[in-house]
Amino acid sequence: MLRFACAAFAVIMLATPAHAEMTLKQFRNYAAMPGGSSLLRSYMGGLRDGIVMLQDVLESQDKAEPTFCPEGDEIRKGSRFEDLVLREITNPSRDEPWPADIQMSRVVTLVLQAEYPCRTY
């Protein structure tokens, strides 16, 4: 099982055109560059696919709880995912802006947890 988790992490790392730990500041810098939007779409797609794959791995293990609980395959749709993340970056749901050095993967995880909370019965 550990090999599978390591392989899943390797796929996440390879799925993104930039390094996997992009900060919000780096994200904004890419967005401001000419042609940066296509790079960011690719990055967001890789980040989405990696987080979804990690979620699938967690759900397949009996002892691991999922980190967020969407209905159906709503997260796998690129436009919905991008809209959620970009909205959060532009207009944070918390009372203050995100720090520039926060990792995008952290922002995305918190956005997904807030948008798709898991309910236990």
Side-chain angles (χ1 to χ4, degrees), residues 20-24 43 99-108:
E21 295 304 326
M22 183 181 287
T23 64
L24 179 57
Y43 176 78
D101 63 345
I102 192 168
Q103 296 173 354
M104 283 300 297
S105 58
R106 179 78 174 135
V107 173
V108 168

Side-chain angles (χ1 to χ4, degrees), residues 47-100:
L47 192 56
R48 179 196 65 230
D49 293 347
I51 287 175
V52 167
M53 183 183 296
L54 180 59
Q55 181 77 2
D56 291 344
V57 169
L58 289 175
E59 286 180 13
S60 71
Q61 298 176 359
D62 291 337
K63 296 180 182 178
E65 295 293 325
T67 55
F68 54 91
C69 300
E71 292 185 21
D73 63 349
E74 198 171 341
I75 293 296
R76 298 176 200 273
K77 298 176 183 173
S79 60
R80 174 71 175 140
F81 176 83
E82 288 179 13
D83 290 345
L84 286 172
V85 174
L86 294 176
R87 182 184 71 212
E88 182 62 29
I89 290 170
T90 306
N91 187 18
S93 58
R94 52 195 226 138
D95 293 335
E96 57 190 59
W98 291 100

Side-chain angles (χ1 to χ4, degrees), residues 3-56:
R3 275 196 268 178
F4 181 73
C6 289
F9 181 71
V11 169
I12 293 169
M13 297 296 284
L14 295 173
T16 58
H19 54 86
E21 295 304 326
M22 183 181 287
T23 64
L24 179 57
K25 180 180 180 179
Q26 291 168 322
F27 186 88
R28 287 181 172 148
N29 287 343
Y30 280 118
M33 291 175 26
S37 62
S38 62
L39 176 65
L40 289 181
R41 274 195 206 105
S42 180
Y43 176 78
M44 295 274 281
L47 192 56
R48 179 196 65 230
D49 293 347
I51 287 175
V52 167
M53 183 183 296
L54 180 59
Q55 181 77 2
D56 291 344

